[in-house]
Amino acid sequence: MSEQAAQTVVANEQAEVSREVVSPTTKKPAGTRAAPKWETDARDRVRAAIRRYSKPLTDLIARDANEGDTRLLITDFLCAGLGYDKYDDLTTEYQVKGEFADYGIRIDKQLVAFIEVKRCSQKLNAKHLRQVQMYAVNEGVEWMILSNGQVWQAYHMTAGLPVVIDLALEVDLLSDTGLSAKTDALFYLTKEAFKRRLIDDLWRARAATSPKSLAQVILSDVVTDAIRKELRRQTNHNADVGEIHRILRSEVLRPETLL
């Protein structure tokens, strides 16, 4: 991203912050839940960190900084933005069967996630995910985080044969997405949210409404029979359930949702 583009992102975020300021006389809608102080504080901290580290991150990308320099920024963001203590909650070069994970995250001395760091100019890909997945499988850890400083991805792993990997969230700190949306997403990676397992709730909601889950619902006997009845009502044609099922699989649904 060019310096001019980065300045545009920062300017947009500052404008959004201004729009978020609420007059003391403004009343909240009836039934609106007041967030607990710990959540408000965590979100404020994340929001401030996104603004603070956008410029240093842009500079790292501009000079194609190496992985070590990227890791320095990520360490600062984990501490200043996500609330982890550098000495109590983070462990670097965590050894797993002769290999080393970049970070392990501990909460109340319990290992809850691995973080794999790539240089800021490197696009995150499936190979990186497989690398951190190996660590998670061997240590029985459910959560895996990939980051190159700019993009943050959180994956959940469900043990089994085979294991099931679900993308729970993805955030691009330098995208045109509003500051509020970035804050809302990264909030789930904070120490406070992880400690309360709020990210588990996010994952379950995303998994329940994933394309694959929805495809399974559409192809269920109940739904295909309902489609048959509605087709008969609209067209007077009594279609075969098996034929409806075949057409849905081969012509309506995207192939990747059927894997």
Side-chain angles (χ1 to χ4, degrees):
M1 175 179 285
S2 66
E3 184 174 353
Q4 181 178 0
Q7 291 173 348
T8 300
V9 170
V10 173
N12 289 341
E13 291 176 348
Q14 290 174 340
E16 182 172 351
V17 171
S18 298
R19 290 194 298 270
E20 289 177 348
V21 176
V22 180
S23 169
T25 60
T26 302
K27 293 183 178 180
K28 294 183 179 180
T32 300
R33 179 186 68 88
K37 186 176 185 303
W38 68 264
E39 180 177 336
T40 301
D41 290 346
R43 289 180 182 276
D44 288 345
R45 189 184 63 234
V46 171
R47 185 180 295 107
I50 293 172
R51 293 199 298 266
R52 176 182 176 184
Y53 290 104
S54 290
K55 180 61 167 62
L57 176 59
T58 303
D59 293 341
L60 288 179
I61 295 172
R63 65 180 174 86
D64 193 19
N66 60 34
E67 187 174 306
D69 289 345
T70 304
R71 194 179 303 182
L72 290 174
L73 182 139
I74 286 178
T75 300
D76 288 344
F77 194 88
L78 285 167
C79 298
L82 303 184
Y84 295 101
D85 185 276
K86 185 184 300 184
Y87 304 106
D88 291 339
D89 303 322
L90 301 179
T91 174
T92 60
E93 298 294 331
Y94 189 98
Q95 186 170 3
V96 183
K97 290 192 173 182
E99 300 289 337
F100 293 89
D102 289 323
Y103 293 94
I105 295 180
R106 285 194 172 98
I107 294 180
D108 296 332
K109 303 188 183 302
Q110 181 70 34
L111 186 66
V112 298
F114 282 119
I115 303 177
E116 184 67 19
V117 174
K118 296 302 172 186
R119 67 187 300 161
C120 57
S121 59
Q122 189 171 12
K123 187 175 181 179
L124 304 177
N125 58 46
K127 179 182 177 181
H128 306 147
L129 178 59
R130 287 194 296 271
Q131 184 178 356
V132 72
Q133 179 182 328
M134 182 271 291
Y135 307 143
V137 168
N138 286 322
E139 294 295 306
V141 171
E142 294 182 7
W143 286 100
M144 304 166 290
I145 299 170
L146 298 180
S147 181
N148 57 10
Q150 177 178 346
V151 177
W152 292 70
Q153 298 173 344
Y155 293 86
H156 180 270
M157 183 188 73
T158 303
L161 293 173
V163 298
V164 177
I165 306 297
D166 295 307
L167 176 64
L169 66 86
E170 181 173 21
V171 187
D172 184 337
L173 297 187
L174 298 181
S175 72
D176 292 334
T177 304
L179 179 59
S180 292
K182 296 174 186 176
T183 301
D184 288 344
L186 281 174
F187 164 73
Y188 287 97
L189 297 184
T190 63
K191 179 179 179 179
E192 294 89 340
F194 243 118
K195 186 172 184 177
R196 292 164 174 82
R197 302 189 70 88
L198 298 184
I199 194 170
D200 291 45
D201 298 334
L202 175 68
W203 157 65
R204 291 189 187 96
R206 295 283 174 85
T209 57
S210 69
K212 186 174 181 179
S213 295
L214 293 175
Q216 291 174 347
V217 171
I218 291 171
L219 293 172
S220 67
D221 292 343
V222 172
V223 174
T224 51
D225 187 56
I227 291 173
R228 179 186 63 82
K229 292 176 180 177
E230 182 62 18
L231 282 172
R232 184 174 60 188
R233 187 187 70 81
Q234 291 189 17
T235 68
N236 231 14
H237 172 63
N238 191 23
D240 179 72
V241 171
E243 181 65 6
I244 293 173
H245 194 275
R246 184 195 67 77
I247 294 172
L248 288 173
R249 288 186 63 89
S250 63
E251 300 180 33
V252 177
L253 298 172
R254 296 170 63 179
E256 58 266 30
T257 66
L258 304 174
L259 299 178

